[in-house]
Amino acid sequence: MNKYHTIAGFFLLYCCNALSLDLSQYEDDVAALLREYQHNAPSLAPSVLVLNQAEQEHTYVDFERGLIVVESVNKASLKQAVIQVLLTQIDPEVIDAKTAHDFGLINGKQKPFFWGQVHDQDGHPIEFHWRAARFADYLINQNLNQQSATPAARFRVAIRMVNNHTQIAGNKYIEFVRQSARTYGVKPDLIMAIMETESAFNPLAKSRSNALGLMQIKANTAGRDYFNLIKGYAHTPSAAYLYHPQKNIEVATGYLHLLSSRYLKGIDDPQKREYAVISSYNGGTGNLWKSLNPRGDRRQALVRINNMTRSEFYWFLTQRHIRQESRNYLKKVTSKRHKYL
């Protein structure tokens, strides 16, 4: 399911008069994010969320880089946009993920979504309006860049998340992961590493192939298999269902269980089967068999796998899998697991 291919496509795309902006004055990561979106929007990762808060205001959240860029046509609206993103709650149970204007739900009953991931100029997390407004003023005074004096000029500020923002983001979902891990016999560190690789913990992630949510579930494949084979009835989950973090994690974990116990049954060694599960979560079991046998013969592919050592099989999957994305995917997931042990 993934290497970062696209953006949350249900949000309004960037206005075309910004495409010619000179980004040379920005720091490298800010310029890279803006340039990638302006010139090649369909290639953006599910870790990037693009929001249209109002007609003239846009916010880009890069969960992987730990970067929020806010832009508007004047300082007053820029300040309000900054306050809104700092105080927003991304709650798929309340927000209609198909409409951009619903992003920005703010209430006093729970901490903002980015609480702890963003600190103000004094190093404090931001929970209340007064602190968000003060930080917005600071950002505008310190970091504001006006691109030109033309009517199309836009004002931008970059907000950097704290160094351990990924850990903070992942901690929001750890209890859901533990519950699903116990239910389906999947290791929690594997689930967390896949989640980070798939979406960088963006709960509203959406890929070009319509994989949704934290673990990038495709409703008509993994989602349908989960309900048919685990729940015991034919059903294809809705987008709203898969944008719900707990449900998304449960479906994904159930699918990991299906990969191990059903689709990849016959791989004798548990470690090799786990490597195959990771690879197949990204590339599918059919491409695994084709990588091992030109005709995709499952029986022959299993013979080859079972005759390999663990290290030989890992090498094969990361060097000879027919999909480059799947080769890299296994490396990425396995490299992240130690953080969640």
Side-chain angles (χ1 to χ4, degrees):
M1 268 179 222
N2 157 271
K3 168 57 183 151
Y4 306 139
H5 282 304
T6 64
I7 153 184
F10 41 78
F11 291 110
L12 188 66
L13 293 180
Y14 188 84
C15 61
C16 28
N17 65 4
L19 293 177
S20 60
L21 291 177
D22 177 13
L23 300 174
S24 60
Q25 63 189 290
Y26 289 103
E27 293 183 57
D28 290 346
D29 54 355
V30 178
L33 174 61
L34 294 172
R35 189 177 297 111
E36 186 178 3
Y37 184 52
Q38 291 167 13
H39 296 294
N40 199 17
S43 74
L44 276 185
S47 61
V48 176
L49 189 62
V50 179
L51 314 170
N52 180 61
Q53 295 170 301
E55 185 176 354
Q56 299 298 332
E57 300 165 8
H58 300 270
T59 298
Y60 313 84
V61 182
D62 189 328
F63 286 79
E64 186 173 23
R65 287 187 179 102
L67 177 65
I68 303 170
V69 177
V70 186
E71 67 165 20
S72 189
V73 293
N74 59 63
K75 293 181 181 179
S77 61
L78 178 63
K79 177 177 178 178
Q80 292 308 308
V82 170
I83 293 171
Q84 186 169 358
V85 75
L86 291 174
L87 296 182
T88 193
Q89 278 107 28
I90 301 178
D91 185 349
E93 292 190 66
V94 178
I95 295 174
D96 178 2
K98 295 180 181 179
T99 57
H101 68 269
D102 281 337
F103 183 90
L105 177 70
I106 297 172
N107 63 54
K109 296 181 180 179
Q110 63 186 55
K111 287 182 171 64
F113 182 82
F114 292 108
W115 188 88
Q117 292 173 262
V118 175
H119 288 178
D120 68 9
Q121 67 271 32
D122 298 321
H124 299 300
I126 300 165
E127 183 173 359
F128 303 109
H129 187 279
W130 68 267
R131 191 179 288 279
R134 190 181 71 150
F135 187 41
D137 286 334
Y138 170 83
L139 290 169
I140 291 169
N141 291 335
Q142 296 294 317
N143 302 314
L144 184 62
N145 288 297
Q146 183 176 354
Q147 296 301 304
S148 70
T150 67
R154 300 186 73 82
F155 296 84
R156 293 187 183 89
V157 294
I159 305 170
R160 299 186 182 281
M161 299 183 195
V162 297
N163 290 337
N164 63 335
H165 66 92
T166 301
Q167 179 183 348
I168 295 170
N171 284 343
K172 299 175 186 178
Y173 310 113
I174 190 64
E175 286 306 315
F176 299 151
V177 167
R178 288 170 178 161
Q179 291 170 18
S180 292
R182 287 192 294 268
T183 300
Y184 297 110
V186 180
K187 296 173 184 177
D189 60 292
L190 175 59
I191 302 169
M192 291 295 293
I194 289 175
M195 196 187 311
E196 182 183 346
T197 303
E198 290 287 347
S199 69
F201 304 114
N202 173 10
L204 297 180
K206 181 179 181 180
S207 80
R208 181 173 52 194
S209 60
N210 210 37
L212 304 177
L214 287 165
M215 298 194 69
Q216 292 289 273
I217 295 294
K218 292 183 182 178
N220 62 349
T221 54
R224 185 177 58 204
D225 283 359
Y226 170 81
F227 280 96
N228 287 353
L229 301 175
I230 292 181
K231 292 299 184 181
Y233 60 94
H235 177 67
T236 300
S238 66
Y241 188 96
L242 293 176
Y243 279 128
H244 187 290
Q246 184 173 11
K247 294 172 182 175
N248 186 280
I249 292 167
E250 182 177 357
V251 171
T253 307
Y255 184 67
L256 288 168
H257 169 72
L258 286 175
L259 284 171
S260 180
S261 63
R262 185 184 182 98
Y263 298 129
L264 297 169
K265 186 178 181 180
I267 300 177
D268 298 333
D269 180 75
Q271 182 64 69
K272 288 191 286 184
R273 190 164 62 250
E274 192 171 80
Y275 289 152
V277 165
I278 297 168
S279 181
S280 298
Y281 189 87
N282 174 265
T285 54
N287 284 321
L288 174 65
W289 308 137
K290 290 176 185 176
S291 298
L292 290 148
N293 180 275
R295 298 187 303 276
D297 186 292
R298 181 179 184 275
R299 183 180 300 177
Q300 293 301 316
L302 285 172
V303 170
R304 282 196 68 186
I305 294 172
N306 288 327
N307 284 334
M308 292 181 189
T309 64
R310 291 178 178 179
S311 59
E312 287 171 341
F313 187 48
Y314 181 86
W315 181 90
F316 181 90
L317 291 175
T318 57
Q319 303 296 324
R320 292 292 183 265
H321 194 286
I322 61 174
R323 297 179 78 246
Q324 178 67 48
E325 180 183 315
S326 297
R327 293 177 221 160
N328 294 332
Y329 187 84
L330 179 57
K331 296 175 189 176
K332 290 176 181 177
V333 171
T334 53
S335 70
K336 289 177 172 63
R337 292 185 66 174
H338 72 277
K339 298 191 292 185
Y340 304 108
L341 292 172

